Amino acid sequence: MDMPQPNPDVLARKASVLARLRQVLPEDAIIADPSETRAYECDALTAYKCAPMIAVLPSSTQEVSDILRICHDEGVPVVPRGAGTSLAGGALPTADCVILGVARMNEVLEVDYDNRFIRVQTGRTNLSVTGAVEEQDFFYAPDPSSQLACAIAGNIAMNSGGAHCLKYGVTTNNLLGVTMVLMDGRVVEIGGAHLDSGGLDLLGVICGSEGQLGVVTEATLRILRKPEGARPVLMGFDDNAVAGECVSDIIKSGILPVAIEFMDRLCIEACENFAHAGYPNCEALLIVEVEGSDAEIDSQLAKIVEIAKRHNPVELRESQSAEESARIWLGRKSAFGAMGQINDYMCLDGTIPVSALPDVLRRIGELSKEFGLPVGNVFHAGDGNMHPLILFDANKPGDLEKCEAFGAEILKLCVDAGGCLTGEHGVGIEKRDLMHHQYAPQDLEAQMAVKDVFDPKWLLNPAKVFPLDASAARRVVPMAAE
Amino acid sequence: MRPESESELAEIVAGLNEPVRVVGGGTRGVTGPDRMLSTEGLRGITLYEPGALTLVAQAGTPLAEIEAALEAEGQQLAFEPMDHRALLGSAGEPTIGGVVAANVSGPRRIQAGACRDFLLGVRFVDGQGQIIKNGGRVMKNVTGYDLVKLMAGSWGTLGVLTEMSLKVLPKPEASATLAVPAKDAATAVRILSEALKSPFEVTGAAYDPQQQCALIRIEGFAESVSYRSGRLQELLGQFGAVDPVEPSDALWQTTRDAADFADTPGDVWRISVKPGDAPEIAARAEADRTLFDWGGGLIWVLVPAGTDLRARIGAFSGHATLVRAGADTLARLGRFQPEPQGISALTQGIRQKFDPRGMFNPGLME
C-alpha cells in the first residue's frame, strides 16, 4: 500500500505550526511528542501505521475552525478522526499531517421528541446517541457493529450502515443537518430540523465523503420511537442458492424484515464452536428478524416460515422468547470474534445484487482454493452487503499480501456482478486503488471536482478514496509562501 | 431536441452553443430558455428485480409505466411522488427523470424517506457532454462520493439525467386513515406529533384547516393496520373523537398533489420547517389558504399573486419554494430560497464544475 511521501517543507516547519496551534488551543489539546503521537498511528485497519506530525483534540467548533485556518495557511494536511474504528484506513495519518480528533466533543446539544431529532457534537459515540433518548423509548437507527466505540463524526464520514438498514436506511437517510468547518476555517450550517434541501443537496454529498470535504462538528439526527418488540426466526439450508431464493421470496411476499442475515458453513461452524448458540449443521443459515407487537410478529413470522418451508429447510426455529432470540443472535453477533479465534482475518465489504448471491459465493469458493486461504461469508442478505472474512496468518511472510490480492479479486467480482466495492466501510486507503475498476476516469473526475470546490488545496485527508495516480496532480499543494 | 440515446444526448450537449431548458414530461413548471432539451426519447425500464427491490429505468420513462410495472408485482415507489399537473395546470406525461431531478416526494416522505433516499444510482451527461455514472443498483454503496444525492433535486442544473436506479418497496396490503378534530394548526401539530412519536409507524400526517381535522394514515398488513388504528384511537382519544375516514387513498392523493389548490387564484408556495415551528410560520404567512403535511414539516401556502412570502414570514429555519406563480414573479423572487453566502459559494462552485458553460437551466437555481 503506497502513501505519498511526507512533504519535507511541512516537516521542517513543525515548530512554527505548533507555536501557532498553541495560540488557539490549551496545552492539553496538543500532542506533538513522537512517543505520544504514536497513539494515533492507525485506525482499525491495523496493518498500516504511520504516526502523525501533530495530533490536536479540540473542544469546540471555534477551536476546529482555528486549527483548520492555521493548517490551511501553513499548507499542512489534516486527517480528521472520530473514534479511529475505520476498517478502511480512513483515519490513517501521513507523517506530515495534523490529526484532528473530535473525541472530546461529545455533548448532547438538544433533544426534541416532539420534532423527533437530536443534535449532538460529533465526537459522541453512536450507541450513546441512542443512550441519550432511550428513557423515552426512542433510538437512533444506524447501528454499525462498532457502535459501542465509533463516533458520529466517522459515521457521517463513511455513511455507516448496520444490520438494520434494510428497514431504517443508513446514516445518510437519518442525517438532517450538520455544522461543518471547511478547510479554510469557514463554518457552514447545512440542513437542520426540517426535511430536505432548499437547493442542491450538499448534505447528501458531505455524508460519505470520508472527511475530505470538511470537519463535521455537530449533527442533527433523526430519532425514532422503538418498535413494540422484535423477534427472529432461524433457518438452515443445504444449499447457498436455495437460501438466496428464500430471501428473494420473503422480500417479494411484501414483508419487510428489519434484518436478514446470512452465514455460510465456515462461519456457522466457527460461531458454533465459539458461542455454542445451537446452530444447525448446514451449508447456509438465515436469521430473519421482524418487528411489531407480539401478535404482529407472530403473523409475520408465520408468513416467513410458510415461505421457508417451500424451500425445504433443514432447520426452522421460530423464537418464542427473549432468551431464545438472544441465543439465535448470539452466534451471528460473535461471528467476527469467532473467526478471530481461528486466525487473523481480513473483513471485506462488497455489495452485490441479491440475485447474484449463489454465483458470487461459488466463485469466492473457487478463488479460495486458488489462493489457498479459507474464507467465511457473513452477509446482510436483504440488502446484498457481503462481509467475506479471509483467514490468513499475519506472522507468515507473504500471507498478508496474498490475502490482499485475494480480497481485491473478491471486490472486483462484486463490481462485475453489478455491485460495488464497499457497502458500509468506506474506501479509505484499502480500496482506493480499486476505484478504477468501478469508475471510469470521468466518473472519478466528477467526484474529485466536488472536493476541488470544498477544499481547493486538497489538504483534508488527501491520499484517500481516489487512486493515487488519479489525484496526483491535485495533491501537489502550493505552499504557504505563495 | 429530443435525443433517442444517451450517446446522442452527449453529442448534442457537447455541441451546444446556447443554453437550453432541460425537460422530461414538462409537467413540473420549469422555466428557462425557449430552446428545449427533452429526455422523452430515452425510454424504458432496463431492469426490474422484485426480489432485490430494485428498478432501473431510462430518464424519459413515463412514471405511469413504472408504476404499472411495480403494481403488477405488488410493489411501489414508497416516496409517493406528487403529480404537479392539477396544481400547475400543466399537461404532458410525468417522467421518472423529472421526479428525480426535482426530488419529488409525497406524504409518506415523513416515514419512508424522500425520493433521494430511494435513489441508488444515476447516469447523466454533464455540461461538457461527458457521460458520468455514480452509485449503482445495490442498496448499500459507499464507494466514492455520493453524487446520486447531489443529482436528486438539482433540477437539471448539474447535468441531464439519462438513467437511474431506484429502491422500491412492497405495496402495503391495507391502509386506514384516522381523523381527529383540531381547531387550529397548533392543536393539529400536537396531535400529529403524538401519533408520529408512537411506535405505530404512521405513514401520513396531515392537517387541512378547511376541514379542521388532523389526518393520520397507517399502512401494512390488514390485521396490523386494524391493530395499530385501534391503538392510535386510544392514544389520541384525549384530543376528541377519533374516527376512521373513507376512502383513504383518494384523500392522500389529494394531499400529495395539493389538489385543493388547483384552479385557485394566486401563488402557491411550499415551506419546509421544523414541524413545531409550522403554526407560527403559517400565521406569519397570512395566507388565503394553507395545508399541512409531514406532521407540520411541510406547509402549502396560497397567497395573492406577486406576494413576497419570504419577506412576509421573515427569517426562519427551513426553506420556502415558489411552486406556482407567473413568470415575472418567479423571475423577481426566485423559485428557490436564497442561500446564505457560505452555502451559495459552494453550490455555485459545484455548478461551475459540472456545467462550466452554463448550458443547463440557467437562472433556475441561482
Side-chain angles (χ1 to χ4, degrees), chain A residues 339-369:
Chain A
M339 297 297 274
Q341 288 274 306
I342 305 177
N343 222 329
D344 300 303
Y345 69 84
M346 175 189 263
C347 173
L348 302 174
D349 174 45
T351 306
I352 55 168
V354 178
S355 52
L357 175 64
D359 281 348
V360 170
L361 285 180
R362 185 179 42 74
R363 184 66 193 132
I364 289 177
E366 290 166 8
L367 286 167
S368 170
K369 290 200 184 78

PDB file of all heavy atoms in Angstrom, chain A residues 339-369:
ATOM      1  N   MET A 339     -14.214 -15.896  14.225  1.00  0.00           N
ATOM      2  CA  MET A 339     -13.242 -16.055  13.149  1.00  0.00           C
ATOM      3  C   MET A 339     -11.843 -15.671  13.647  1.00  0.00           C
ATOM      4  O   MET A 339     -10.845 -16.279  13.265  1.00  0.00           O
ATOM      5  CB  MET A 339     -13.631 -15.188  11.947  1.00  0.00           C
ATOM      6  CG  MET A 339     -14.952 -15.578  11.313  1.00  0.00           C
ATOM      7  SD  MET A 339     -14.976 -17.237  10.614  1.00  0.00           S
ATOM      8  CE  MET A 339     -14.319 -16.912   8.985  1.00  0.00           C
ATOM      9  N   GLY A 340     -11.797 -14.660  14.518  1.00  0.00           N
ATOM     10  CA  GLY A 340     -10.520 -14.218  15.074  1.00  0.00           C
ATOM     11  C   GLY A 340      -9.858 -15.297  15.913  1.00  0.00           C
ATOM     12  O   GLY A 340      -8.639 -15.350  16.032  1.00  0.00           O
ATOM     13  N   GLN A 341     -10.684 -16.195  16.488  1.00  0.00           N
ATOM     14  CA  GLN A 341     -10.144 -17.312  17.262  1.00  0.00           C
ATOM     15  C   GLN A 341      -9.392 -18.288  16.368  1.00  0.00           C
ATOM     16  O   GLN A 341      -8.442 -18.926  16.790  1.00  0.00           O
ATOM     17  CB  GLN A 341     -11.293 -18.061  17.950  1.00  0.00           C
ATOM     18  CG  GLN A 341     -11.918 -17.313  19.098  1.00  0.00           C
ATOM     19  CD  GLN A 341     -11.171 -17.563  20.391  1.00  0.00           C
ATOM     20  OE1 GLN A 341     -10.983 -18.696  20.775  1.00  0.00           O
ATOM     21  NE2 GLN A 341     -10.729 -16.499  21.031  1.00  0.00           N
ATOM     22  N   ILE A 342      -9.874 -18.418  15.149  1.00  0.00           N
ATOM     23  CA  ILE A 342      -9.258 -19.382  14.234  1.00  0.00           C
ATOM     24  C   ILE A 342      -7.932 -18.836  13.718  1.00  0.00           C
ATOM     25  O   ILE A 342      -6.932 -19.535  13.695  1.00  0.00           O
ATOM     26  CB  ILE A 342     -10.183 -19.666  13.023  1.00  0.00           C
ATOM     27  CG1 ILE A 342     -11.555 -20.125  13.506  1.00  0.00           C
ATOM     28  CG2 ILE A 342      -9.557 -20.705  12.107  1.00  0.00           C
ATOM     29  CD1 ILE A 342     -12.539 -20.353  12.365  1.00  0.00           C
ATOM     30  N   ASN A 343      -7.959 -17.554  13.344  1.00  0.00           N
ATOM     31  CA  ASN A 343      -6.764 -16.996  12.712  1.00  0.00           C
ATOM     32  C   ASN A 343      -6.908 -15.479  12.606  1.00  0.00           C
ATOM     33  O   ASN A 343      -7.924 -14.914  12.991  1.00  0.00           O
ATOM     34  CB  ASN A 343      -6.609 -17.588  11.297  1.00  0.00           C
ATOM     35  CG  ASN A 343      -5.164 -17.947  10.987  1.00  0.00           C
ATOM     36  OD1 ASN A 343      -4.258 -17.299  11.493  1.00  0.00           O
ATOM     37  ND2 ASN A 343      -4.968 -18.952  10.186  1.00  0.00           N
ATOM     38  N   ASP A 344      -5.865 -14.813  12.031  1.00  0.00           N
ATOM     39  CA  ASP A 344      -6.044 -13.423  11.625  1.00  0.00           C
ATOM     40  C   ASP A 344      -7.046 -13.437  10.476  1.00  0.00           C
ATOM     41  O   ASP A 344      -7.122 -14.411   9.733  1.00  0.00           O
ATOM     42  CB  ASP A 344      -4.721 -12.843  11.124  1.00  0.00           C
ATOM     43  CG  ASP A 344      -3.654 -12.879  12.219  1.00  0.00           C
ATOM     44  OD1 ASP A 344      -3.903 -12.298  13.285  1.00  0.00           O
ATOM     45  OD2 ASP A 344      -2.601 -13.516  12.005  1.00  0.00           O
ATOM     46  N   TYR A 345      -7.796 -12.356  10.348  1.00  0.00           N
ATOM     47  CA  TYR A 345      -8.705 -12.314   9.203  1.00  0.00           C
ATOM     48  C   TYR A 345      -8.797 -10.905   8.650  1.00  0.00           C
ATOM     49  O   TYR A 345      -8.528  -9.922   9.334  1.00  0.00           O
ATOM     50  CB  TYR A 345     -10.094 -12.830   9.572  1.00  0.00           C
ATOM     51  CG  TYR A 345     -10.873 -11.941  10.517  1.00  0.00           C
ATOM     52  CD1 TYR A 345     -11.609 -10.855  10.041  1.00  0.00           C
ATOM     53  CD2 TYR A 345     -10.882 -12.193  11.882  1.00  0.00           C
ATOM     54  CE1 TYR A 345     -12.320 -10.045  10.899  1.00  0.00           C
ATOM     55  CE2 TYR A 345     -11.591 -11.380  12.752  1.00  0.00           C
ATOM     56  CZ  TYR A 345     -12.306 -10.310  12.258  1.00  0.00           C
ATOM     57  OH  TYR A 345     -12.994  -9.504  13.118  1.00  0.00           O
ATOM     58  N   MET A 346      -9.154 -10.843   7.387  1.00  0.00           N
ATOM     59  CA  MET A 346      -9.442  -9.553   6.760  1.00  0.00           C
ATOM     60  C   MET A 346     -10.917  -9.548   6.408  1.00  0.00           C
ATOM     61  O   MET A 346     -11.427 -10.505   5.826  1.00  0.00           O
ATOM     62  CB  MET A 346      -8.593  -9.384   5.505  1.00  0.00           C
ATOM     63  CG  MET A 346      -8.926  -8.129   4.723  1.00  0.00           C
ATOM     64  SD  MET A 346      -8.083  -8.115   3.139  1.00  0.00           S
ATOM     65  CE  MET A 346      -6.701  -7.103   3.570  1.00  0.00           C
ATOM     66  N   CYS A 347     -11.617  -8.478   6.809  1.00  0.00           N
ATOM     67  CA  CYS A 347     -13.055  -8.385   6.573  1.00  0.00           C
ATOM     68  C   CYS A 347     -13.319  -7.498   5.366  1.00  0.00           C
ATOM     69  O   CYS A 347     -12.924  -6.340   5.358  1.00  0.00           O
ATOM     70  CB  CYS A 347     -13.743  -7.805   7.810  1.00  0.00           C
ATOM     71  SG  CYS A 347     -15.479  -7.463   7.543  1.00  0.00           S
ATOM     72  N   LEU A 348     -13.985  -8.046   4.360  1.00  0.00           N
ATOM     73  CA  LEU A 348     -14.312  -7.262   3.173  1.00  0.00           C
ATOM     74  C   LEU A 348     -15.752  -6.753   3.268  1.00  0.00           C
ATOM     75  O   LEU A 348     -16.491  -7.120   4.181  1.00  0.00           O
ATOM     76  CB  LEU A 348     -14.147  -8.114   1.916  1.00  0.00           C
ATOM     77  CG  LEU A 348     -12.752  -8.710   1.713  1.00  0.00           C
ATOM     78  CD1 LEU A 348     -12.771  -9.651   0.532  1.00  0.00           C
ATOM     79  CD2 LEU A 348     -11.719  -7.618   1.504  1.00  0.00           C
ATOM     80  N   ASP A 349     -16.141  -5.935   2.317  1.00  0.00           N
ATOM     81  CA  ASP A 349     -17.400  -5.202   2.478  1.00  0.00           C
ATOM     82  C   ASP A 349     -18.070  -4.904   1.141  1.00  0.00           C
ATOM     83  O   ASP A 349     -18.684  -3.871   0.969  1.00  0.00           O
ATOM     84  CB  ASP A 349     -17.064  -3.899   3.245  1.00  0.00           C
ATOM     85  CG  ASP A 349     -18.237  -2.960   3.363  1.00  0.00           C
ATOM     86  OD1 ASP A 349     -19.331  -3.442   3.688  1.00  0.00           O
ATOM     87  OD2 ASP A 349     -18.056  -1.758   3.121  1.00  0.00           O
ATOM     88  N   GLY A 350     -17.949  -5.775   0.161  1.00  0.00           N
ATOM     89  CA  GLY A 350     -18.575  -5.505  -1.139  1.00  0.00           C
ATOM     90  C   GLY A 350     -20.082  -5.687  -1.068  1.00  0.00           C
ATOM     91  O   GLY A 350     -20.605  -6.338  -0.166  1.00  0.00           O
ATOM     92  N   THR A 351     -20.789  -5.078  -2.011  1.00  0.00           N
ATOM     93  CA  THR A 351     -22.236  -5.304  -2.104  1.00  0.00           C
ATOM     94  C   THR A 351     -22.546  -5.874  -3.480  1.00  0.00           C
ATOM     95  O   THR A 351     -21.919  -5.482  -4.471  1.00  0.00           O
ATOM     96  CB  THR A 351     -23.017  -3.999  -1.895  1.00  0.00           C
ATOM     97  OG1 THR A 351     -22.623  -3.414  -0.670  1.00  0.00           O
ATOM     98  CG2 THR A 351     -24.510  -4.263  -1.849  1.00  0.00           C
ATOM     99  N   ILE A 352     -23.496  -6.796  -3.525  1.00  0.00           N
ATOM    100  CA  ILE A 352     -23.907  -7.388  -4.796  1.00  0.00           C
ATOM    101  C   ILE A 352     -25.435  -7.381  -4.885  1.00  0.00           C
ATOM    102  O   ILE A 352     -26.109  -7.311  -3.867  1.00  0.00           O
ATOM    103  CB  ILE A 352     -23.429  -8.854  -4.929  1.00  0.00           C
ATOM    104  CG1 ILE A 352     -23.921  -9.697  -3.738  1.00  0.00           C
ATOM    105  CG2 ILE A 352     -21.908  -8.912  -5.025  1.00  0.00           C
ATOM    106  CD1 ILE A 352     -23.742 -11.183  -3.928  1.00  0.00           C
ATOM    107  N   PRO A 353     -25.973  -7.424  -6.094  1.00  0.00           N
ATOM    108  CA  PRO A 353     -27.418  -7.621  -6.205  1.00  0.00           C
ATOM    109  C   PRO A 353     -27.758  -8.976  -5.577  1.00  0.00           C
ATOM    110  O   PRO A 353     -27.025  -9.949  -5.786  1.00  0.00           O
ATOM    111  CB  PRO A 353     -27.665  -7.650  -7.717  1.00  0.00           C
ATOM    112  CG  PRO A 353     -26.460  -7.012  -8.327  1.00  0.00           C
ATOM    113  CD  PRO A 353     -25.323  -7.313  -7.415  1.00  0.00           C
ATOM    114  N   VAL A 354     -28.827  -9.036  -4.824  1.00  0.00           N
ATOM    115  CA  VAL A 354     -29.163 -10.258  -4.082  1.00  0.00           C
ATOM    116  C   VAL A 354     -29.241 -11.464  -5.018  1.00  0.00           C
ATOM    117  O   VAL A 354     -28.848 -12.574  -4.657  1.00  0.00           O
ATOM    118  CB  VAL A 354     -30.494 -10.063  -3.323  1.00  0.00           C
ATOM    119  CG1 VAL A 354     -30.881 -11.316  -2.588  1.00  0.00           C
ATOM    120  CG2 VAL A 354     -30.356  -8.905  -2.345  1.00  0.00           C
ATOM    121  N   SER A 355     -29.702 -11.220  -6.258  1.00  0.00           N
ATOM    122  CA  SER A 355     -29.863 -12.327  -7.206  1.00  0.00           C
ATOM    123  C   SER A 355     -28.524 -12.955  -7.596  1.00  0.00           C
ATOM    124  O   SER A 355     -28.475 -14.084  -8.060  1.00  0.00           O
ATOM    125  CB  SER A 355     -30.578 -11.819  -8.462  1.00  0.00           C
ATOM    126  OG  SER A 355     -29.911 -10.674  -8.963  1.00  0.00           O
ATOM    127  N   ALA A 356     -27.422 -12.218  -7.399  1.00  0.00           N
ATOM    128  CA  ALA A 356     -26.112 -12.740  -7.799  1.00  0.00           C
ATOM    129  C   ALA A 356     -25.462 -13.578  -6.708  1.00  0.00           C
ATOM    130  O   ALA A 356     -24.371 -14.118  -6.899  1.00  0.00           O
ATOM    131  CB  ALA A 356     -25.192 -11.574  -8.179  1.00  0.00           C
ATOM    132  N   LEU A 357     -26.132 -13.694  -5.575  1.00  0.00           N
ATOM    133  CA  LEU A 357     -25.542 -14.369  -4.413  1.00  0.00           C
ATOM    134  C   LEU A 357     -24.958 -15.762  -4.700  1.00  0.00           C
ATOM    135  O   LEU A 357     -23.780 -16.004  -4.415  1.00  0.00           O
ATOM    136  CB  LEU A 357     -26.583 -14.430  -3.281  1.00  0.00           C
ATOM    137  CG  LEU A 357     -26.182 -15.218  -2.034  1.00  0.00           C
ATOM    138  CD1 LEU A 357     -24.992 -14.568  -1.343  1.00  0.00           C
ATOM    139  CD2 LEU A 357     -27.348 -15.312  -1.064  1.00  0.00           C
ATOM    140  N   PRO A 358     -25.748 -16.680  -5.270  1.00  0.00           N
ATOM    141  CA  PRO A 358     -25.189 -18.036  -5.458  1.00  0.00           C
ATOM    142  C   PRO A 358     -23.933 -18.036  -6.334  1.00  0.00           C
ATOM    143  O   PRO A 358     -22.950 -18.678  -5.990  1.00  0.00           O
ATOM    144  CB  PRO A 358     -26.336 -18.797  -6.138  1.00  0.00           C
ATOM    145  CG  PRO A 358     -27.565 -18.031  -5.810  1.00  0.00           C
ATOM    146  CD  PRO A 358     -27.149 -16.607  -5.709  1.00  0.00           C
ATOM    147  N   ASP A 359     -23.971 -17.295  -7.448  1.00  0.00           N
ATOM    148  CA  ASP A 359     -22.812 -17.255  -8.348  1.00  0.00           C
ATOM    149  C   ASP A 359     -21.590 -16.675  -7.668  1.00  0.00           C
ATOM    150  O   ASP A 359     -20.482 -17.174  -7.817  1.00  0.00           O
ATOM    151  CB  ASP A 359     -23.135 -16.400  -9.593  1.00  0.00           C
ATOM    152  CG  ASP A 359     -23.968 -17.185 -10.590  1.00  0.00           C
ATOM    153  OD1 ASP A 359     -24.073 -18.419 -10.393  1.00  0.00           O
ATOM    154  OD2 ASP A 359     -24.507 -16.572 -11.520  1.00  0.00           O
ATOM    155  N   VAL A 360     -21.796 -15.579  -6.935  1.00  0.00           N
ATOM    156  CA  VAL A 360     -20.665 -14.913  -6.293  1.00  0.00           C
ATOM    157  C   VAL A 360     -20.066 -15.819  -5.211  1.00  0.00           C
ATOM    158  O   VAL A 360     -18.842 -15.959  -5.114  1.00  0.00           O
ATOM    159  CB  VAL A 360     -21.088 -13.540  -5.712  1.00  0.00           C
ATOM    160  CG1 VAL A 360     -19.981 -12.951  -4.836  1.00  0.00           C
ATOM    161  CG2 VAL A 360     -21.427 -12.572  -6.836  1.00  0.00           C
ATOM    162  N   LEU A 361     -20.921 -16.494  -4.445  1.00  0.00           N
ATOM    163  CA  LEU A 361     -20.400 -17.386  -3.401  1.00  0.00           C
ATOM    164  C   LEU A 361     -19.617 -18.553  -4.018  1.00  0.00           C
ATOM    165  O   LEU A 361     -18.578 -18.951  -3.498  1.00  0.00           O
ATOM    166  CB  LEU A 361     -21.539 -17.918  -2.533  1.00  0.00           C
ATOM    167  CG  LEU A 361     -22.118 -16.926  -1.527  1.00  0.00           C
ATOM    168  CD1 LEU A 361     -23.241 -17.581  -0.733  1.00  0.00           C
ATOM    169  CD2 LEU A 361     -21.042 -16.396  -0.580  1.00  0.00           C
ATOM    170  N   ARG A 362     -20.127 -19.084  -5.111  1.00  0.00           N
ATOM    171  CA  ARG A 362     -19.432 -20.198  -5.766  1.00  0.00           C
ATOM    172  C   ARG A 362     -18.049 -19.740  -6.246  1.00  0.00           C
ATOM    173  O   ARG A 362     -17.048 -20.394  -6.019  1.00  0.00           O
ATOM    174  CB  ARG A 362     -20.277 -20.696  -6.949  1.00  0.00           C
ATOM    175  CG  ARG A 362     -19.717 -21.931  -7.652  1.00  0.00           C
ATOM    176  CD  ARG A 362     -20.616 -22.395  -8.810  1.00  0.00           C
ATOM    177  NE  ARG A 362     -21.131 -21.296  -9.612  1.00  0.00           N
ATOM    178  CZ  ARG A 362     -20.418 -20.589 -10.479  1.00  0.00           C
ATOM    179  NH1 ARG A 362     -19.153 -20.875 -10.675  1.00  0.00           N
ATOM    180  NH2 ARG A 362     -20.959 -19.603 -11.156  1.00  0.00           N
ATOM    181  N   ARG A 363     -18.006 -18.558  -6.855  1.00  0.00           N
ATOM    182  CA  ARG A 363     -16.747 -18.034  -7.378  1.00  0.00           C
ATOM    183  C   ARG A 363     -15.761 -17.723  -6.238  1.00  0.00           C
ATOM    184  O   ARG A 363     -14.561 -17.956  -6.367  1.00  0.00           O
ATOM    185  CB  ARG A 363     -17.051 -16.784  -8.221  1.00  0.00           C
ATOM    186  CG  ARG A 363     -15.876 -16.169  -8.910  1.00  0.00           C
ATOM    187  CD  ARG A 363     -15.273 -17.072  -9.991  1.00  0.00           C
ATOM    188  NE  ARG A 363     -13.976 -16.543 -10.398  1.00  0.00           N
ATOM    189  CZ  ARG A 363     -12.862 -17.249 -10.508  1.00  0.00           C
ATOM    190  NH1 ARG A 363     -12.868 -18.549 -10.285  1.00  0.00           N
ATOM    191  NH2 ARG A 363     -11.723 -16.674 -10.858  1.00  0.00           N
ATOM    192  N   ILE A 364     -16.281 -17.214  -5.121  1.00  0.00           N
ATOM    193  CA  ILE A 364     -15.406 -16.953  -3.969  1.00  0.00           C
ATOM    194  C   ILE A 364     -14.790 -18.276  -3.486  1.00  0.00           C
ATOM    195  O   ILE A 364     -13.607 -18.350  -3.152  1.00  0.00           O
ATOM    196  CB  ILE A 364     -16.178 -16.255  -2.817  1.00  0.00           C
ATOM    197  CG1 ILE A 364     -16.502 -14.809  -3.191  1.00  0.00           C
ATOM    198  CG2 ILE A 364     -15.356 -16.271  -1.508  1.00  0.00           C
ATOM    199  CD1 ILE A 364     -17.330 -14.045  -2.161  1.00  0.00           C
ATOM    200  N   GLY A 365     -15.595 -19.341  -3.505  1.00  0.00           N
ATOM    201  CA  GLY A 365     -15.097 -20.665  -3.112  1.00  0.00           C
ATOM    202  C   GLY A 365     -13.958 -21.115  -4.023  1.00  0.00           C
ATOM    203  O   GLY A 365     -12.945 -21.648  -3.560  1.00  0.00           O
ATOM    204  N   GLU A 366     -14.115 -20.885  -5.316  1.00  0.00           N
ATOM    205  CA  GLU A 366     -13.059 -21.263  -6.263  1.00  0.00           C
ATOM    206  C   GLU A 366     -11.788 -20.455  -6.011  1.00  0.00           C
ATOM    207  O   GLU A 366     -10.681 -20.991  -5.996  1.00  0.00           O
ATOM    208  CB  GLU A 366     -13.531 -21.027  -7.707  1.00  0.00           C
ATOM    209  CG  GLU A 366     -14.616 -22.010  -8.161  1.00  0.00           C
ATOM    210  CD  GLU A 366     -15.328 -21.569  -9.451  1.00  0.00           C
ATOM    211  OE1 GLU A 366     -14.877 -20.566 -10.079  1.00  0.00           O
ATOM    212  OE2 GLU A 366     -16.329 -22.204  -9.814  1.00  0.00           O
ATOM    213  N   LEU A 367     -11.969 -19.148  -5.810  1.00  0.00           N
ATOM    214  CA  LEU A 367     -10.807 -18.275  -5.555  1.00  0.00           C
ATOM    215  C   LEU A 367     -10.096 -18.697  -4.272  1.00  0.00           C
ATOM    216  O   LEU A 367      -8.873 -18.642  -4.178  1.00  0.00           O
ATOM    217  CB  LEU A 367     -11.258 -16.809  -5.442  1.00  0.00           C
ATOM    218  CG  LEU A 367     -11.637 -16.107  -6.749  1.00  0.00           C
ATOM    219  CD1 LEU A 367     -12.354 -14.794  -6.450  1.00  0.00           C
ATOM    220  CD2 LEU A 367     -10.400 -15.843  -7.599  1.00  0.00           C
ATOM    221  N   SER A 368     -10.881 -19.117  -3.282  1.00  0.00           N
ATOM    222  CA  SER A 368     -10.314 -19.546  -2.012  1.00  0.00           C
ATOM    223  C   SER A 368      -9.340 -20.704  -2.236  1.00  0.00           C
ATOM    224  O   SER A 368      -8.255 -20.748  -1.655  1.00  0.00           O
ATOM    225  CB  SER A 368     -11.453 -19.954  -1.079  1.00  0.00           C
ATOM    226  OG  SER A 368     -10.952 -20.587   0.067  1.00  0.00           O
ATOM    227  N   LYS A 369      -9.725 -21.624  -3.107  1.00  0.00           N
ATOM    228  CA  LYS A 369      -8.835 -22.756  -3.425  1.00  0.00           C
ATOM    229  C   LYS A 369      -7.592 -22.262  -4.165  1.00  0.00           C
ATOM    230  O   LYS A 369      -6.478 -22.661  -3.855  1.00  0.00           O
ATOM    231  CB  LYS A 369      -9.578 -23.781  -4.281  1.00  0.00           C
ATOM    232  CG  LYS A 369     -10.664 -24.526  -3.507  1.00  0.00           C
ATOM    233  CD  LYS A 369     -11.041 -25.832  -4.195  1.00  0.00           C
ATOM    234  CE  LYS A 369     -12.188 -26.521  -3.465  1.00  0.00           C
ATOM    235  NZ  LYS A 369     -13.509 -25.907  -3.782  1.00  0.00           N
TER     236      LYS A 369
END
